[in-house]
Amino acid sequence: MSIQINRKKLQVTGIIQGVGFRPFIYRQASQLALKGWASNTGDGVTVDIEGSPSALEAFIETVQKNPPINSKIESLTITNLPVCGYQQFELRNSAGQQHSMFISPDIATCPTCIDELLDPSNRRYQYAFISCSQCGPRYSIINALPYDRERTAMHTFPLCQACQNEYENPSDRRFHAQTIACPDCGPTVELLSHQGKYLADNITAIKQASAALTKGKIVALKGIGGFQLLANASHQASIEQLRIHKSRPEKPFALMCRDIAQVDTIATPSALEKKLLLSAAAPIVLMDKLIACSTLAEGVAPDNTRIGIMLPCSPLHHLLLRHLPFPLVTTSGNLSNEPIYIDNQLAIDRLANIADLFLIHNRPILRPVDDSVVQTIHNEATLLRAARGYAPVTIKLADNQSTQHPHRPTLAVGGHLKNTFAISKGDYAMISQHNGDLESLESITGFKHNIADLSQLLEYHPELIAQDQHPEYASSLYAKSLHLPTVSVQHHHAHLLSCMAEHAIKPPLLGIICDGNGLGDNSSLWGGEFFTLDPSSNISRIASLRPFSLLGGAIALKEPRRSALAMLWEYMGDKVFSHNSLAPISAFTEEEKALLQAMLNRRINSPRSSSLGRLFDCVASLLDLCQVSSYEGQAAQRLEQCFAATASDDYYRVLWQQDKELARFDWQPLLSDIIDDLNNAVPKPLIACKFHNTLVEMMVDMTHKSGQKRVILSGGSFQNRYLSETLIRRLSALNIKVYWQQKLPCNDGGLALGQLLAAANRGTQNVLGNSR
């Protein structure tokens, strides 16, 4: 009796290249005595396989339910074909013309490779480029697709015979591992002086760098996606020196710890935060600092109750930290407002006045990828910066969000700060890695280069451009220079649509979008907004903060005292200038107050804004927590951390004004109540807590007034964990479904996806506003 044989063809898409998917397919087919072949293609993996029906069923079930840990299957289509009598199963050379919208991010060193790295009997003992099919650099070294060694930065390192044998052995964990290397055939490490003079190589170089860090020296290390500046986190003098040269007087530094045990000496990570630290992405995770932490120098995270911590993400980092008893301050290897450096000579030229030593290697980095930043909100991992380990991010647009012109490729150029860009292709959107703030020629040049780089990698040619409504953003000016059809998208609409796209949800819903600033209608500046989307996706602005003046325009964004002065003047008038008992007033000289008084009375350089971010600034200034910011969001951060040890449900008055068809939250009673509390010596932590609770009450109240049962939260203000978590709990208790961004940042790093969605539906009311 003959055995029945069937043949099936599987087309698989998703993150399946560079994650050991084909070796996994090979092993599963071999175990089930299936015959055929598998190959990388331009848009995924093709598997042509035949065998008994039961074996094929078991094979497909395993592929669907238990793929490699770092893979992500987006789609799997199965076609029945006539049996052709394959004699074996093999991995064929890559083929295909299409280019996938799925690229594996860089993957941190896996536990098995770490064990080998530290095993004296292993031939890769202390080798700084150990990797396997489950770990190693990916996106930062890919030169072209499909993903094969000859199309990566590893192509200049021919395999030795031992590595070649592993690469070709189906039972080996390095079977078809494209980044495979060893001390005999792979990249090497060198230690250079600050002048670029050779000092040592490989493990000797690493040990000398460790010794220098112990003595308080600053080391520039070439990591996975670019250079990092490292310093001893217990050495105050070196941290002060790093702050001076990086023009970073107060912004907290992130730390790299050797292991979880060392993290526990510094912070109190939750189970989820530990899981994130140990994940394949190995991001910087924000967590609560230990109250009594004597391990760190004061300058690491001054006046902060939280700290960003990461674990080693590459073998080089593991080897370096292994020789150190202290954690390392770890910050981007660049000068202020410049992109992270990826070229050895450029790093030496630009960082020679900061770094005492350079720990470099000869494996090229093909594109800059900074460290990702994550925090937990409502027990969910939430990205604040999407970069190494997470980027590029590919999101499938839901049926209601797919383009009306699905074959017309679109480039969305994002915003001005925390820039990312995005491209759409068919029903998918790919969002780039973090590009930073576009506030210097170097950063703008890097932004343009990264767009050209991804376009070349994917052979992508946009036909439509989406940009922010603000015409003077560097990204908007670049969009104009492309001379292609362009769609301008209102800033807060883009935030709203981005969160909708991430969660694949349909209207009706309410969007609460709060941030620092974004250009609204009639050249006004928005930032504390409530929008409804009806079932037909018509968007309406139904509520906002009562507007106030940004005293001095852009400079008000960096001086919280200006927002406080302008808001106090709105209801006190000129007599406010005599209230020197108020911190914002005493923060100015008499000459400054005279000038600002004239500006307010004559409405000179004082644009109107409804920004929640500036309301945070105002209250932080009133409490004398921050009068002049040295980094974005500093005032709001200090205000949140001010009451970290204070628990209260109290809040101030929530009152609304009616401005035609728009409800306006009246902040005047709020400020009046805060001043009364200050005069009555109410502790500042309690005032800060009551202020946050008032914002929650205001948002809950407007949600109730809107009648909506689903709410979207987006905009940079929702990086505030207390605000987000308290609001989510309150709304959830009212049986209201709450969505917030997790795969993408809620800050301007998520704008590009919303711009894509708006451009995809251009010409309909929900794109450019229909707002009042």
Side-chain angles (χ1 to χ4, degrees):
M1 182 177 178
S2 61
I3 299 175
Q4 181 181 349
I5 299 296
N6 291 344
R7 178 185 171 206
K8 295 181 182 293
K9 187 174 185 179
L10 282 63
Q11 299 280 10
V12 193
T13 66
I15 298 178
I16 52 175
Q17 294 187 17
V19 292
F21 190 81
R22 285 188 304 154
F24 158 78
I25 291 290
Y26 185 98
R27 284 189 288 269
Q28 297 305 315
S30 299
Q31 289 172 12
L32 293 165
L34 296 169
K35 314 299 183 183
W37 56 269
S39 173
N40 278 340
T41 63
D43 59 353
V45 168
T46 297
V47 182
D48 192 335
I49 195 164
E50 60 185 27
S52 70
S54 60
L56 286 171
E57 182 180 351
F59 173 80
I60 293 170
E61 182 178 8
T62 301
V63 170
Q64 291 175 321
K65 295 183 178 180
N66 297 295
I69 189 170
N70 295 315
S71 66
K72 179 185 175 184
I73 294 177
E74 184 67 27
S75 68
L76 191 159
T77 59
I78 303 171
T79 306
N80 293 318
L81 295 174
V83 174
C84 64
Y86 291 122
Q87 298 301 306
Q88 61 182 3
F89 193 88
E90 61 181 344
L91 297 184
R92 292 186 175 177
N93 292 334
S94 299
Q97 298 301 315
Q98 292 182 312
H99 286 80
S100 174
M101 287 288 280
F102 296 90
I103 301 176
S104 172
D106 300 302
I107 306 171
T109 314
C110 71
T112 306
C113 279
I114 295 173
D115 288 344
E116 292 180 350
L117 178 72
L118 304 178
D119 179 2
S121 67
N122 191 280
R123 73 186 190 91
R124 291 186 176 87
Y125 175 56
Q126 295 186 331
Y127 180 57
F129 303 93
I130 190 172
S131 68
C132 67
S133 62
Q134 294 297 316
C135 69
R138 298 294 190 266
Y139 180 57
S140 62
I141 65 166
I142 293 173
N143 190 47
L145 296 173
Y147 172 70
D148 288 303
R149 187 181 183 89
E150 63 268 22
R151 286 183 281 271
T152 73
M154 295 298 294
H155 80 280
T156 57
F157 301 97
L159 295 178
C160 66
Q161 190 58 54
C163 285
Q164 187 71 39
N165 291 341
E166 292 172 326
Y167 183 85
E168 295 175 352
N169 182 358
S171 64
D172 196 283
R173 42 190 292 273
R174 293 187 171 88
F175 180 49
H176 278 261
Q178 309 303 339
T179 55
I180 186 174
C182 77
D184 293 332
C185 64
T188 55
V189 173
E190 288 187 353
L191 184 69
L192 308 180
S193 71
H194 74 282
Q195 297 172 325
K197 180 183 177 182
Y198 171 85
L199 299 175
D201 59 23
N202 297 322
I203 193 60
T204 303
I206 296 169
K207 289 179 177 179
Q208 289 185 14
S210 297
L213 287 163
T214 302
K215 296 175 183 177
K217 302 296 185 181
I218 296 172
V219 174
L221 177 144
K222 186 179 183 181
I224 292 177
F227 274 82
Q228 298 167 318
L229 288 166
L230 309 177
N232 183 338
S234 62
H235 198 282
Q236 179 68 14
S238 63
I239 293 169
E240 289 175 355
Q241 193 73 5
L242 188 56
R243 287 198 175 280
I244 291 170
H245 288 299
K246 284 277 288 184
S247 300
R248 187 171 172 164
E250 297 174 294
K251 188 175 181 179
F253 281 126
L255 296 179
M256 182 176 288
C257 290
R258 181 178 60 251
D259 50 30
I260 289 291
Q262 192 174 69
V263 174
D264 287 335
T265 67
I266 297 167
T268 58
S270 66
L272 176 56
E273 288 166 345
K274 287 184 178 181
K275 183 179 179 181
L276 289 167
L277 286 171
L278 293 166
S279 70
I284 296 169
V285 182
L286 294 186
M287 60 188 70
D288 294 330
K289 258 198 315 189
L290 278 173
I291 296 174
C293 177
S294 58
T295 307
L296 305 180
E298 182 181 347
V300 172
D303 302 320
N304 269 264
T305 61
R306 305 190 76 209
I307 191 163
I309 298 179
M310 63 192 298
L311 293 180
C313 55
S314 77
L316 179 56
H317 289 98
H318 278 283
L319 292 171
L320 186 67
L321 269 292
R322 183 170 170 76
H323 297 284
L324 299 173
F326 47 81
L328 293 175
V329 162
T330 308
T331 188
S332 302
N334 57 357
L335 298 180
S336 181
N337 291 325
E338 292 190 7
I340 186 172
Y341 308 137
I342 62 175
D343 177 77
N344 290 343
Q345 191 57 53
L346 177 63
I348 293 168
D349 292 342
R350 302 295 285 164
L351 299 177
N353 291 331
I354 302 179
D356 298 294
L357 296 169
F358 289 85
L359 193 60
I360 68 167
H361 58 76
N362 59 344
R363 182 180 66 200
I365 299 173
L366 301 185
R367 56 190 56 81
V369 188
D370 215 327
D371 295 317
S372 292
V373 182
V374 178
Q375 71 171 340
T376 61
I377 289 181
H378 203 58
N379 205 35
E380 296 284 351
T382 303
L383 269 175
L384 300 180
R385 183 168 75 196
R388 180 187 49 75
Y390 291 93
V393 182
T394 299
I395 291 176
K396 182 174 179 165
L397 301 176
D399 292 341
N400 68 300
Q401 298 165 342
S402 59
T403 65
Q404 292 183 355
H405 307 276
H407 302 297
R408 193 174 192 189
T410 303
L411 165 68
V413 296
H416 187 72
L417 301 178
K418 300 178 176 65
N419 177 273
T420 64
F421 60 87
I423 60 174
S424 69
K425 187 176 181 182
D427 292 333
Y428 290 95
M430 178 182 283
I431 301 89
S432 78
Q433 74 271 33
H434 171 79
N435 296 305
D437 299 340
L438 306 185
E439 297 203 310
S440 69
L441 177 61
E442 291 83 2
S443 64
I444 295 169
T445 300
F447 156 76
K448 294 177 181 178
H449 170 81
N450 290 344
I451 291 178
D453 169 70
L454 188 62
S455 298
Q456 180 180 2
L457 179 63
L458 300 179
E459 294 189 3
Y460 186 81
H461 304 286
E463 298 175 6
L464 180 68
I465 310 297
Q467 66 171 74
D468 191 273
Q469 187 169 279
H470 198 303
E472 298 305 315
Y473 281 179
S475 55
S476 300
L477 294 172
Y478 171 72
K480 183 179 179 180
S481 74
L482 297 176
H483 303 295
L484 289 169
T486 303
V487 174
S488 295
V489 185
Q490 199 280 319
H491 189 90
H492 301 93
H493 296 173
H495 275 302
L496 172 59
L497 294 172
S498 179
C499 192
M500 279 182 63
E502 177 180 330
H503 291 282
I505 56 174
K506 300 179 181 179
L509 52 82
L510 172 72
I512 305 177
I513 314 299
C514 299
D515 62 5
N517 273 307
L519 186 63
D521 293 343
N522 302 317
S523 298
S524 60
L525 297 173
W526 294 354
E529 316 302 323
F530 297 79
F531 302 98
T532 56
L533 270 77
D534 68 17
S536 299
S537 293
N538 298 309
I539 186 169
S540 297
R541 183 178 180 229
I542 63 166
S544 175
L545 262 65
R546 171 184 158 186
F548 52 90
S549 296
L550 288 181
L551 188 52
I555 195 173
L557 310 186
K558 299 181 178 180
E559 295 189 18
R561 59 183 183 170
R562 288 178 178 253
S563 292
L565 174 59
M567 297 177 85
L568 292 170
W569 180 83
E570 291 263 340
Y571 75 93
M572 288 189 185
D574 286 343
K575 65 181 181 181
V576 72
F577 290 95
S578 63
H579 283 260
N580 285 317
S581 60
L582 294 174
I585 310 305
S586 62
F588 293 103
T589 66
E590 292 303 316
E591 292 78 8
E592 288 172 331
K593 285 190 280 189
L595 175 62
L596 295 171
Q597 183 176 5
M599 289 175 62
L600 286 166
N601 280 302
R602 298 175 187 175
R603 300 193 179 278
I604 298 172
N605 193 20
S606 300
R608 304 291 281 173
S609 173
S610 57
S611 166
L612 184 68
R614 302 290 77 80
L615 179 59
F616 270 98
D617 285 357
C618 171
V619 177
S621 174
L622 270 173
L623 300 189
D624 203 19
L625 299 175
C626 184
Q627 300 300 344
V628 177
S629 299
S630 66
Y631 61 91
E632 186 195 12
Q634 182 179 10
Q637 185 180 94
R638 287 189 173 178
L639 191 59
E640 180 185 11
Q641 296 190 4
C642 170
F643 67 97
T646 301
S648 174
D649 293 329
D650 291 347
Y651 57 91
Y652 297 110
R653 290 177 286 171
V654 174
L655 298 175
W656 298 89
Q657 298 176 343
Q658 198 63 32
D659 181 4
K660 297 182 180 178
E661 297 182 9
L662 189 68
R664 298 278 197 182
F665 172 68
D666 189 356
W667 40 259
Q668 180 173 322
L670 167 66
L671 298 189
S672 177
D673 291 347
I674 289 175
I675 292 171
D676 286 344
D677 272 358
L678 285 170
N679 291 335
N680 291 321
V682 173
K684 290 180 181 180
L686 180 57
I687 296 174
C689 185
K690 289 170 67 176
F691 166 69
H692 280 76
N693 291 340
T694 305
L695 297 183
V696 171
E697 290 299 322
M698 177 261 287
M699 294 174 185
V700 171
D701 187 43
M702 183 48 62
T703 301
H704 175 73
K705 293 180 188 308
S706 75
Q708 299 293 334
K709 293 300 181 183
R710 293 186 302 165
V711 174
I712 275 176
L713 310 179
S714 190
S717 294
F718 289 109
Q719 295 175 128
N720 184 309
R721 187 168 62 162
Y722 180 88
L723 177 66
S724 293
E725 291 187 337
T726 307
L727 181 57
I728 291 166
R729 285 196 299 268
R730 287 288 310 280
L731 292 177
S732 298
L734 298 172
N735 293 319
I736 292 170
K737 180 66 176 175
V738 186
Y739 301 89
W740 67 99
Q741 289 182 282
Q742 294 159 35
K743 295 179 183 177
L744 292 176
C746 66
N747 57 45
D748 286 4
L751 282 175
L753 177 59
Q755 292 171 353
L756 272 186
L757 186 54
N761 294 283
R762 64 198 183 282
T764 62
Q765 288 181 309
N766 66 310
V767 175
L768 300 181
N770 189 34
S771 59
R772 295 186 286 267

